[in-house]
Amino acid sequence: MTRFLIRRVAVLGAGVMGAQIAAHLINVKVPVLLFDLPSPEGDASAIARKGIEGLKKLKPAPLGLAADAELIEPANYDDDLARLVDCDLVIEAIAERMDWKHALYGKIAPHLAPHAILASNTSGLSVSALAEGLPEAVRSRFCGIHFFNPPRYMRLVELIATPDTDPALLDHLESFVTTTLGKGAVRAKDTPNFIANRVGTAGMLATMHEASRLGLSYDVVDDLTGKKLGRASSGTFRTADVVGLDTLAHVIKTLQTTLSRETDPFYDSFGTPPALEQLLASGNLGQKTRAGFYKKVGRDILRFDAAARDGQGDYVAGGLKADEVYARMLRKPAGERLRLLRESKGAQGQFLWAVLRNGFHYAAVHLASIAPTARDVDLAMRWGFGMQQGPFELWQEAGWLQVAQWIREDIQAGKTLSDAPLPDWVFAGPVVEAGGVHTAEGSWNPAEGRFEPRAVLPVHARQLFPERVLGEPGDDARTAGTTVQEGDALRLWTLDGEVLIASLKTKLRVISPEVVEGLTEAVELAERDYRALVIWSPGEAFSAGADLQAMLPAFVVAGVSAIEGVEAEMQQMMLRLRYAQVPVVSAMRGLALGGGCEMAVYSARRVAALETYIGLVEVGVGLVPGAGGLTYLARRAAENAALSTDGDLLKTLGEGFKAAAMATVGTSAHESRRLGYLLDSDLIVPHADEVLWVALQEARAMAASGWRPPLARRFPVAGRSGIATIKGTLVNMRDGGFISAHDFHIASLIAHVVCGGDVETGTQVTESYLMTLERQAFASLVQHPTTQERIMGMLSSGKPLRN
């Protein structure tokens, strides 16, 4: 496939969604023009500028770096349409009005480049009907591109073709969406609300209906339909608040106006819930207005009660939880879990079965009309609604035919939302013979009556271990390749015999003594038999840091000397990574905290997914970084000072000290680069599933270029005068009540280490010297009662204790 270069993008519409799409394009370094209507007075592009400025206030942050908002170019439809000719992709993201979109298409069409793709970010309008507003010459280059909100974080992008869309152009767009934007692309049929919003909104309405029928409060429902059910932690009603109740109402309205009882047998369940109507009427639109189904008052979370105040509705105390018996049921194997819920006599159990059954029923009835295969539905629900499993996966895991029979019995008994029968393919033919819709041959395509394998584009080769649905063939990253050595904490393996891969197996990839020993052996093995070493682990964390629980028994038995010994071994491992005779590349995604951050910065190169969160966070448990993190900060400060015009060491040290003392975490790879945890030479990869592939390419290239480790050298430190300067600031913070006495003590110890201790300014020191200071500071804090309280608080609650 010939490469289609997208050099510049135009986004039409500077509302919340359009502006956030533009922001994410900047996150991945794609130049973007953001258009909106001309302002009636003053700056003609003031409306677009306002949309750009609003990005800085949104939470979660749409930009990896807030300052990058200035890279988005504002434009307006009166003065700047001629600039569209320089854009390879134009994304329309104005309000969901067919007539408005058609009018805009008529205005922009003459200015589009002859090769440019035009895509509408509609959330549910007919893409084919939208195409009717375009000249014939443009229709082959038009399609739907549905981003989910917020675009930076939500993985799903639905691509919708019209009968005229050039298939090759859609392939180009999918490649761009995948690698450049880091998204999971799903091809949807051109039906109302496409796949995820069609199934997800129907499911949300069904959940609200069942909750009302069984008299369950919003907080109990959210507790049941969140993580316990394998879905997004926000549950149902909290998710509605985050999305925006006006947005939810719009999606519901689309279903109501574009469907009917004839086209959707579940139509009668699409009514707007009365409580939602009450909230909309009062202007309580969810998180954006600080009140929706929930409202925060001080530290209290209140929930809306539609029956309060004689049916007028009011907020009442929230915080109710589900009965523990149902949490235990939800931990059972899938088949037993569904059986227990179906047989349950309690309201919460009946509710859960009804929610799951309704989801299975709706997805099966509509599969043929909304999606090419069952795989597209399951991936769309995973990526768009935060489900761990899509509806077909859970159904199949629980026992396909048994669950189908239960659903049929409920339909016949009038317990379901619709009396529509399950399709014939559910009970007879290839699906029953295979035990479900996902097989080694592919996923069920009801329109073609066959199992269809996943479509493969060249871009997909960059995902060595892509996210797969249940039953789909493919290598498991935990067992793939050739295992060279494996223990309980670490696996060493290779895919090509040239690059050794080290994968941590501990929970959250924490660094235990066994991991330290294994990584040290990995370096020795790589130096002997391989060209490079890549540290990468499957899952959503690179490493959450050192294993504190593994350290405590040693401290209890042998005292602080044991802790110093453990820290010394970690430090030596870090130095082995830094001075290895082969390039060491850390391939990062998710959390890289504490020891995980140290492991990364001591590698020769870092390849980080855009959503990698890096930082030295030991202060949160009353400690200082003890495996070389402070030594790294001091060395980098010296290197940066040597490159600066004034050579002010204390100035270059300030950012690193502040980050460590305040446990600042880079909340994007870009921010981590600003904090100094990633360097300009490191690579940022938008798609998390491509990180390993890129890291292996980088490791091979470094080895092929004759890479050599740096030479160990001395470097200057700020000394006692630097410590005094920093402590002067800390005293003011302590006396002003901004930090506690123990925070002051910890920050003073950090200053002592990064400044090199009681020496003159400019004294040349070694890494080993500073690491000794680190160990001493770490060991002294382990013995401190306040630190011990913080450690135990974190281990018991998972949250920092501020004492």
Side-chain angles (χ1 to χ4, degrees):
M1 183 173 68
T2 305
R3 188 179 180 196
F4 185 92
L5 287 177
I6 295 183
R7 303 172 181 84
R8 183 181 300 274
V9 175
V11 177
L12 311 181
V16 173
M17 198 63 183
Q20 288 192 86
I21 293 170
H24 188 60
L25 287 161
I26 291 297
N27 287 336
V28 296
K29 298 190 177 344
V30 177
V32 60
L33 295 169
L34 181 61
F35 279 80
D36 212 298
L37 296 168
S39 177
E41 54 186 36
D43 176 10
S45 297
I47 295 175
R49 289 186 194 280
K50 183 178 179 181
I52 295 168
E53 191 63 27
L55 292 169
K56 301 175 185 178
K57 304 172 187 175
L58 290 178
K59 297 293 181 184
L63 286 157
L65 284 175
D68 284 351
E70 67 183 24
L71 299 177
I72 303 172
E73 298 184 64
N76 68 83
Y77 301 127
D78 277 1
D79 304 325
D80 301 306
L81 287 181
R83 300 183 67 186
L84 288 174
V85 74
D86 297 323
C87 297
D88 306 294
L89 171 63
V90 178
I91 300 174
E92 172 268 303
I94 68 170
E96 293 284 84
R97 284 273 302 269
M98 185 76 71
D99 54 341
W100 290 1
K101 291 177 187 284
H102 279 168
L104 180 60
Y105 296 168
K107 183 177 291 189
I108 66 169
H111 301 279
L112 296 174
H115 68 281
I117 299 173
L118 173 63
S120 175
N121 181 53
T122 177
S123 60
L125 295 179
S126 168
V127 179
S128 297
L130 287 172
E132 293 173 4
L134 288 165
E136 199 74 34
V138 180
R139 292 184 185 181
S140 66
R141 296 181 278 119
F142 178 74
C143 65
I145 181 170
H146 181 211
F147 289 85
F148 275 64
N149 190 23
R152 171 185 163 184
Y153 302 95
M154 296 302 292
R155 186 169 176 180
L156 179 62
V157 169
E158 293 174 319
L159 298 179
I160 308 97
T162 74
D164 297 322
T165 304
D166 180 351
L169 226 60
L170 206 63
D171 288 346
H172 289 311
L173 186 57
E174 179 171 344
S175 297
F176 174 76
V177 162
T178 301
T179 285
T180 305
L181 299 187
K183 300 302 177 186
V186 167
R187 305 284 181 102
K189 293 187 177 181
D190 189 13
T191 53
N193 286 1
F194 313 126
I195 299 174
N197 271 349
R198 178 73 174 272
V199 176
T201 304
M204 187 173 284
L205 287 170
T207 300
M208 293 178 178
H209 168 81
E210 300 293 353
S212 176
R213 180 177 68 86
L214 291 163
L216 300 182
S217 62
Y218 305 146
D219 39 12
V220 169
V221 168
D222 282 351
D223 192 38
L224 288 169
T225 59
K227 287 186 175 180
K228 289 184 173 71
L229 199 59
R231 299 183 177 183
S233 58
S234 51
T236 300
F237 294 96
R238 174 68 64 193
T239 296
D241 275 355
V242 171
V243 169
L245 302 191
D246 53 341
T247 301
L248 174 61
H250 170 76
V251 176
I252 294 171
K253 186 68 173 176
T254 301
L255 291 177
Q256 293 170 345
T257 56
T258 57
L259 296 171
S260 65
R261 290 180 182 85
E262 289 69 34
T263 57
D264 192 318
F266 294 79
Y267 185 80
D268 287 341
S269 66
F270 293 162
T272 305
L276 177 58
E277 290 184 332
Q278 284 179 269
L279 290 167
L280 292 170
S282 62
N284 292 336
L285 307 180
Q287 187 170 280
K288 69 180 77 175
T289 60
R290 301 176 184 270
F293 286 110
Y294 296 96
K295 179 180 181 180
K296 188 173 182 181
V297 179
R299 295 186 177 182
D300 297 326
I301 303 294
L302 307 182
R303 62 176 171 82
F304 185 67
D305 184 347
R309 285 199 307 146
D310 297 326
Q312 297 300 307
D314 201 358
Y315 289 91
V316 300
L320 295 177
K321 298 292 184 182
D323 292 342
E324 180 58 28
V325 64
Y326 299 106
R328 291 196 295 271
M329 286 184 188
L330 291 172
R331 290 193 287 268
K332 299 286 186 181
E336 184 180 359
R337 182 192 323 158
L338 295 193
R339 179 184 62 79
L340 289 171
L341 293 174
R342 187 169 188 267
E343 294 173 355
S344 173
K345 302 301 182 184
Q348 294 179 26
Q350 293 175 26
F351 164 79
L352 286 168
W353 164 249
V355 166
L356 294 171
R357 177 205 62 212
N358 293 340
F360 300 151
H361 189 191
Y362 192 86
V365 167
H366 290 290
L367 174 58
S369 64
I370 66 174
T373 72
R375 177 181 51 250
D376 298 295
V377 171
D378 281 345
L379 288 178
M381 297 312 294
R382 280 197 200 180
W383 296 341
F385 277 79
M387 292 184 176
Q388 291 179 5
Q389 287 182 303
F392 290 115
E393 290 179 283
L394 177 56
W395 182 348
Q396 181 167 327
E397 184 183 4
W400 182 265
L401 198 53
Q402 175 63 78
V403 175
Q405 289 169 348
W406 286 340
I407 298 170
R408 179 162 61 184
E409 289 172 10
D410 281 8
I411 294 171
Q412 293 170 347
K415 295 179 179 179
T416 53
L417 296 176
S418 166
D419 60 3
L422 290 171
D424 292 341
W425 56 261
V426 171
F427 292 102
V431 170
V432 174
E433 293 167 10
V437 292
H438 302 305
T439 71
E441 299 173 40
S443 293
W444 183 245
N445 180 333
E448 299 291 334
R450 63 183 176 89
F451 294 107
E452 186 172 298
R454 187 187 291 237
V456 177
L457 298 175
V459 69
H460 296 149
R462 296 167 59 92
Q463 299 178 37
L464 299 180
F465 303 102
E467 188 171 336
R468 300 184 186 277
V469 295
L470 178 75
E472 187 177 9
D475 291 334
D476 186 334
R478 295 169 296 182
T479 56
T482 302
T483 298
V484 177
Q485 186 175 307
E486 186 167 12
D488 292 337
L490 191 77
R491 177 182 180 231
L492 302 180
W493 56 292
T494 182
L495 285 169
D496 59 3
E498 292 188 349
V499 179
L500 184 66
I501 304 171
S503 295
L504 280 64
K505 296 168 59 179
T506 50
K507 184 178 181 180
L508 289 178
R509 314 302 180 236
V510 295
I511 304 173
S512 64
E514 292 77 18
V515 169
V516 172
E517 181 181 354
L519 285 173
T520 302
E521 292 176 2
V523 173
E524 295 171 356
L525 188 60
E527 289 176 334
R528 188 178 72 234
D529 297 331
Y530 297 87
R531 301 181 65 198
L533 172 64
V534 168
I535 303 173
W536 173 87
S537 305
E540 296 302 315
F542 175 69
S543 173
D547 188 350
L548 287 175
Q549 284 184 309
M551 291 184 182
L552 291 180
F555 174 66
V556 172
V557 173
V560 73
S561 61
I563 294 296
E564 286 198 73
V566 172
E567 287 299 299
E569 290 175 0
M570 288 186 67
Q571 290 174 343
Q572 289 306 307
M573 183 269 287
M574 299 299 178
L575 291 176
R576 284 293 281 128
L577 295 178
R578 175 166 166 75
Y579 295 109
Q581 296 302 305
V582 293
V584 178
V585 178
S586 280
M588 311 161 68
R589 62 185 292 179
L591 302 178
L593 306 177
C597 173
E598 290 166 318
M599 187 162 59
V601 299
Y602 276 85
S603 299
R605 190 68 47 85
R606 287 140 295 277
V607 175
L610 179 62
E611 297 304 328
T612 305
Y613 306 99
I614 311 174
L616 297 170
V617 297
E618 287 83 352
V619 169
V621 288
L623 295 169
V624 298
L630 298 183
T631 300
Y632 166 79
L633 295 177
R635 175 173 57 79
R636 285 295 301 156
E639 292 167 351
N640 289 335
L643 297 174
S644 67
T645 54
D646 59 11
D648 188 340
L649 181 56
L650 196 57
K651 183 187 298 182
T652 58
L653 182 61
E655 189 71 29
F657 166 80
K658 183 179 178 183
M662 298 184 66
T664 303
V665 175
T667 54
S668 69
H670 295 308
E671 191 173 0
S672 295
R673 178 174 277 164
R674 183 182 63 79
L675 293 171
Y677 299 132
L678 295 179
L679 307 182
D680 288 342
S681 56
D682 295 329
L683 303 178
I684 297 175
V685 179
H687 202 303
D689 287 345
E690 295 184 0
V691 165
L692 177 58
W693 186 88
V694 174
L696 291 171
Q697 302 299 316
E698 186 72 4
R700 294 187 192 106
M702 292 170 71
S705 67
W707 182 90
R708 294 287 299 172
L711 296 173
R713 65 175 71 236
R714 293 174 178 269
F715 50 89
V717 290
R720 64 177 68 93
S721 67
I723 296 172
T725 301
I726 292 173
K727 287 186 72 172
T729 301
L730 294 174
V731 167
N732 291 334
M733 295 179 69
R734 180 196 62 194
D735 294 348
F738 296 103
I739 59 175
S740 69
H742 196 54
D743 291 331
F744 172 82
H745 176 58
I746 298 169
S748 297
L749 288 175
I750 292 175
H752 181 80
V753 175
V754 297
C755 291
D758 189 16
V759 297
E760 292 289 339
T761 299
T763 297
Q764 300 279 324
V765 302
T766 64
E767 288 171 302
S768 295
Y769 167 80
L770 286 182
M771 284 183 170
T772 299
L773 297 183
E774 271 192 55
R775 289 198 307 275
Q776 293 170 350
F778 190 94
S780 71
L781 285 167
V782 168
Q783 302 175 80
H784 199 292
T786 307
T787 285
Q788 291 174 1
E789 289 175 5
R790 289 191 181 186
I791 293 173
M792 296 311 296
M794 174 63 77
L795 292 177
S796 62
S797 70
K799 298 178 181 179
L801 173 66
R802 306 310 301 175
N803 56 349

